[in-house]
Structure formats: structure tokens, C-alpha cells
Amino acid sequence: MTLENFQERLHYHFRDKSLLLLAVTHSSWANEHGTGNAHNERLEFLGDAVLEIVVSAQLFARFPEAREGELTRLRSSLVNESALACLARELHLDKELRLARGEENQGGRNRDALLADAMEAVFGGVFLDGGMDRAREVIENLYEHRWPQDTSGTRRKDYKTKLQEATQKLFRDLPVYVLEETQGPEHAKIFSVHVQLPDGRLFRASAPGLKRAEQEAAHMALLELEQEADKA
């Protein structure tokens, strides 16, 4: 059971496995299978609140001299969509999601928003299954190497910038982004792109917005390059 492996990576084993199954179930899957509200949106709502209080408490304790605005900015950098999606990918949560075929075909498994929502739903599930203390332990463990060292808050580079720097260093050349197609009505278009590395490898992503699709493709490429570097 792949969810067993996910629980190992999460360092938490659910007593009520139905909560974890619910956390990885997208509303599109529930609609496709006629299961009504048996999806992760309510757990996401709960997990968002749990995550915010745990991170807020940690930052409050770590930076006793920081002002409210500084703490708010630091918290935002830790719990925003991009940060949560990155955490979800590290846990391979993207591979565990239950999605409808249409959502799957439109690249839903790679979308930051969907991954961030699922990550929050997992936190909500841990809270219901084990209580606040266990939820706090899980979150603090996952964020162990993510806590900022100071309040300077240097802005993190986006994925396209990081990939450009990586390919210049590795290949002395730049990645190339290509728009493959667009789907859907004008007000809700889905953009499908690929980024090609100088060595010929392609990484595809889809998202509601060209820039966002390019960012997600760049992120996928970066993850593979980072994994190769770790193995070297």
C-alpha cells in the first residue's frame, strides 16, 4: 500500500486510515465517483488553521524581538502555496493523490495549489487522528530545516531563475520554454508547456496561467537535477 510508505515519510501512522484516504482525495475524484462530500476540502480548512498556529507559535518563540509585521512575513514564507507544494513533493504526496481522469489529464497532479491544499488536508487529518500535540510534532519535524535563521527575510528566487543558474553552471547554456497547447474556455484556460534542458531532457507541466506553468515545469526539472546531485 503506497500510503504506508507515505506515512513512513511523514513520520506519523494514522490510527484511522480513512482520514488519510480522505486527505488525498480531490473533489474531482469524489464528483467522478459519486461520493458527495467525501473529499479533502474540509480537512484542508482545518489543516490550514492547525499549520498556522504551529508555525506562529514557533516563530513567536524563536524571534522574541521581532515585530508583528516581521512575524507575519516570516509565517507567510513558510505556509504559502509554493512552500507547501514543495513540501508535498518532497513527501511524494503528488503520487498519492486520488484525482478524476479529467483533472489528471490537465496536469492536476503537478499543480502547486492542489498539492498545497492536500498537504494542509494531511495536517488536518493528523490533528483529528492524534490531537494537537501530535500535529505539532509532525509539522515541527517537517519544518526542522526550514525555520529562518533571522528576520532579514531575503526573498527566495523563483524556480525559473534557479533553473537558469543551475543550467548555466552545469551546461553553460540556458533552458528553453515552449508552449505546447492551451485548453478550456477563455476565462479558465489551462496552459501546457515544456522546458527543455541543454542536454535534451524535457519536463512538462500544465497550469492556469503561462507563467505558472513555466514555473512548475522549471520546478520539476530542478527536483531531478537536485536528486542527481545528491546521488553524485
Side-chain angles (χ1 to χ4, degrees):
M1 180 180 181
T2 56
L3 285 177
E4 186 64 30
N5 294 330
F6 173 74
Q7 290 176 96
E8 291 288 343
R9 292 189 291 272
L10 187 65
H11 296 294
Y12 181 81
H13 288 263
F14 282 77
R15 293 174 296 178
D16 183 354
K17 298 296 192 293
S18 68
L19 286 170
L20 177 55
L21 192 62
L22 193 63
V24 301
T25 302
H26 188 251
S27 58
S28 65
W29 191 95
N31 292 333
E32 185 175 76
H33 291 80
T35 58
N37 291 326
H39 54 74
N40 65 10
E41 289 182 2
R42 282 172 52 84
L43 279 181
E44 172 207 338
F45 167 80
L46 182 60
D48 174 67
V50 172
L51 175 63
E52 187 161 307
I53 189 63
V54 171
V55 170
S56 296
Q58 267 289 330
L59 293 175
F60 186 86
R62 285 170 178 266
F63 302 106
E65 303 300 324
R67 297 181 178 182
E68 178 189 1
E70 292 175 313
L71 293 173
T72 299
R73 176 172 46 77
L74 290 173
R75 182 179 64 196
S76 178
S77 72
L78 293 168
V79 303
N80 64 32
E81 182 180 286
S82 178
L84 286 170
C86 183
L87 182 59
R89 289 186 177 98
E90 289 180 11
L91 294 171
H92 304 309
L93 180 57
D94 54 318
K95 295 178 174 59
E96 313 294 355
L97 299 176
R98 297 205 294 178
L99 305 174
R101 283 172 291 183
E103 186 69 40
E104 182 84 59
N105 293 338
Q106 291 183 359
R109 198 171 294 276
N110 295 319
R111 291 184 193 163
D112 278 7
L114 194 151
L115 289 169
D117 290 348
M119 195 70 250
E120 288 178 335
V122 168
F123 293 146
V126 172
F127 170 76
L128 289 179
D129 189 67
M132 190 63 193
D133 285 343
R134 293 294 285 122
R136 176 181 52 77
E137 290 173 10
V138 167
I139 292 169
E140 289 181 354
N141 177 62
L142 292 175
Y143 275 83
E144 181 179 2
H145 302 297
R146 289 176 166 81
W147 301 116
Q149 299 303 307
D150 55 53
T151 59
S152 60
T154 54
R155 188 174 181 181
R156 298 174 67 180
K157 296 176 182 176
D158 62 58
Y159 296 127
K160 289 183 67 176
T161 301
K162 288 182 177 180
L163 182 61
Q164 178 176 313
E165 292 175 350
T167 56
Q168 284 178 321
K169 181 178 180 180
L170 291 170
F171 309 110
R172 296 186 179 179
D173 204 350
L174 298 175
V176 176
Y177 296 86
V178 176
L179 174 62
E180 295 184 337
E181 65 174 346
T182 60
Q183 295 179 330
E186 198 64 37
H187 67 281
K189 277 190 178 298
I190 299 297
F191 294 79
S192 297
V193 306
H194 75 246
V195 59
Q196 182 172 3
L197 300 187
D199 65 358
R201 282 180 288 179
L202 296 178
F203 298 86
R204 291 182 168 84
S206 299
L210 179 59
K211 290 183 179 180
R212 185 162 163 185
E214 289 177 343
Q215 288 286 349
E216 293 191 7
H219 190 197
M220 294 169 65
L222 274 171
L223 287 174
E224 179 154 322
L225 293 178
E226 289 170 357
Q227 289 174 357
E228 290 176 354
D230 290 340
K231 293 177 182 177

